[in-house]
Amino acid sequence: MSDPNSAITPEVVAAHGLTPEEYTRCLDALGRTPNLTELGIFSVMWSEHCSYKSSRVWLKQLPTTGPRVICGPGENAGVVDIGEGLAAVFKMESHNHPSYIEPYQGAATGVGGILRDVFTMGARPVAIMDPLRFGSPDHPKMRHLVSGVVAGIGGYGNCIGVPTVGGECSFHASYDGNILVNAMTVGLARADKIFYSAAAGIGNSVVYVGSKTGRDGIHGATMASAEFDDASEEKRPTVQVGDPFTEKLLLEACLELMAGDTIVAIQDMGAAGLTSSSVEMASKGGVGLELDLDSVPCRETGMTAYEMMLSESQERMLMILKPGLEDVGRKVFEKWGLDFAIIGKVTDTGRLVLRHKGAVVGDLPVDALTDAAPMYERPWEATPKRAPLPAQDVPAPDSIIGALTTLISCPDLSSKAWIWQQYDHTVMADTVARPGGDSAIVRIHGSNRGLAITTDCTPRYVHADPEAGGAQAVAEAWRNLTAVGALPLAVTDCMNFGNPQKPSVMGQFVGSIQGMSAACRALDFPVVSGNVSLYNETNGQAIQPTPAIGAIGLIDDLGQTVRHGLAPGLSLVLVGDTLGHLGSTLYLREVLGREDGPPPPVDLAAERRNGDFVRAGIRAGTIKACHDVSDGGLLVAVADMAMATGTGAQLSVPSGQLPHAFLFGEDQARYVVALAPEAVPGFETEARAAGVPVLRLGQSSGDQLIVEGHGTISISELKTRNEAWLPAYMARP
């Protein structure tokens, strides 16, 4: 479909993902019929993936400013001030559709793309996170997808030399036909040396750097803006092909040039490639661009203007350089063995003009592609509230210990070491806390300060109640940062949902945004970057709504942090109220085979109060170990703490509490903390003064987990069960 002389028929328009009404808007914007190249440009720029046409109106509800925010949403990544002249630059994005079609390259190029978003801003990437959602383990394609995605993430991250330090991995049948592969990167930059994408300087050179352009990835953005069906495998040519070794060269060349004073603006060629990068740079700068496509470095012969503009070949950047300094840039990129080509200039026309083989092959108003892109207020229906599920109406298990072993060996809670052991999580030598804890921790190089990083979402909560689930995702990220002693700074999000043209799905999105917004405001936790991925459904079956939250926190003294592993001789104390909420819990799903009931309510004032209290206790040195209570409830949290070091624990159920509700309920705003026994009375006094509920649970000792009156299990057996499932699953013939 790249013949420049193709007639623009209704079928061609529909194949480009444009509705008849949208095509009419194209005609009005141009005042004439577009040629095929121009139609392709409208198609990708107005795609859901690039224009956010169904989500923009709601994203405006999120808080995006704060005293530490240097750059909020709208650039390649968000930027926050972390003191001492430094900034953290971070963002999370999705590569869902490509990873289902071609798992290795889909996941690999997802990592490559998010790395470029960060170093485009002038930051050196220091950490990668990988939140993953797979379908039912019994699905015939799922092991292939798990294997390919993990290999793709590891292959790209390991080769480029950036540590993958954490993430998530869960399984649910709703993802059978549409897995989620989200990737987050965090980088560090000088706070006074952040690079932006707004083109400026009439007559300045437009420079293409990096890899050559091929035919891979054409219409990737459009493919990512449509549902899947049984013919999805045919979309394999739209998946990009990555080369991490070239990306490493590109990273170093960009950072070297950024150390000087040559660059006016810079933009990653991500989704929609040369089209989106040139249009966005022109739009943000209020200028026009004129491009000579004969100068674009190509690795294939006979490429058309359509193919060059829509290719999503990887490892490419577009720059505006200061006049007279082009040779400075050329020498840097040629030194690193990369292409450097002047392909155009900045104009004052407000138009994107494309020349190829001596003719004008495109002439488009920039504003029509960006500011005038469609923005829909889609009809939406609120998700019906579920009936309450009193704990006394939920059957108790035959055995508390049996229920615990079922939970810690289920696909969601089983150890994910098989995954992260394939990642180089210590390269760069600044990884302080490895995968498997509440948050990863990386040292701010050359200092005793650090960043804590987490990704979180509980899709079953969001499915049951989008507003409560959206708030909980933010609150859990805040807790996971707090649990290691970090001050939560800011959020990036990756909004994974089904077809927004369905009012029920749009209602899930709206509710999630409302919950996230409330939580971010209550916790002073602004959203500084993010991504929306819609149409995640196959043959009309949508995924569970998954607003993944990535977040970072600041640690001013790495000596004032804790992990979740137990040491012998400590007292265990529960921070936060326990009401025994069992609706939408893993206990309900994994032990009883049910997925009903509302999710746990989220009390944002309690989250703030309890978290601030715990963080202060960590920094004071009172708290020796800490773990937030989340999936599986209190007993799973204590088991995690015991398995981390092999140290056992003994705990009791308070009189008057239903044991299964107390031990497996997923009430929010809770932490298990370990203290020296002599510190407990003072801790309780401080908690009362702060209005924080605390409860003595028991103590750490020996090598067994003992629940008084309900059974005992050795920590070694717990670890064996916890670590067995994923390797055995991946080893199946």
Side-chain angles (χ1 to χ4, degrees), residues 170-202:
S170 61
F171 295 80
H172 191 273
S174 74
Y175 305 104
D176 279 357
N178 199 127
I179 63 173
L180 301 185
V181 176
N182 297 168
M184 174 180 173
T185 291
V186 181
L188 294 173
R190 281 175 44 188
D192 63 351
K193 196 83 170 177
I194 305 299
F195 288 82
Y196 299 99
S197 58
I202 306 306

Side-chain angles (χ1 to χ4, degrees), residues 698-721:
Q699 54 279 328
S700 61
S701 64
D703 58 4
Q704 295 183 317
L705 179 60
I706 302 168
V707 184
E708 293 178 1
H710 297 282
T712 299
I713 186 170
S714 71
I715 306 304
S716 61
E717 183 178 350
L718 273 177
K719 279 181 66 71
T720 297
R721 290 175 178 263

Side-chain angles (χ1 to χ4, degrees), residues 386 389 458 460-461 464 581-586 588-589 595-600 666:
R386 293 185 178 183
L389 185 61
T458 311
R460 65 182 185 278
Y461 292 172
H581 185 97
L582 289 171
S584 294
T585 58
L586 280 185
L588 206 66
R589 191 180 84 189
E595 295 190 52
D596 57 326
E666 295 181 8

Side-chain angles (χ1 to χ4, degrees), residues 46 92 148 233 240 305 311 353 362 392 399 426 483 549 632 654 700 727:
W46 285 10
M92 181 158 56
E233 292 290 348
Q240 310 92 326
S311 167
V353 177
Q392 59 267 28
S399 160
T426 60
I549 301 296
S700 61

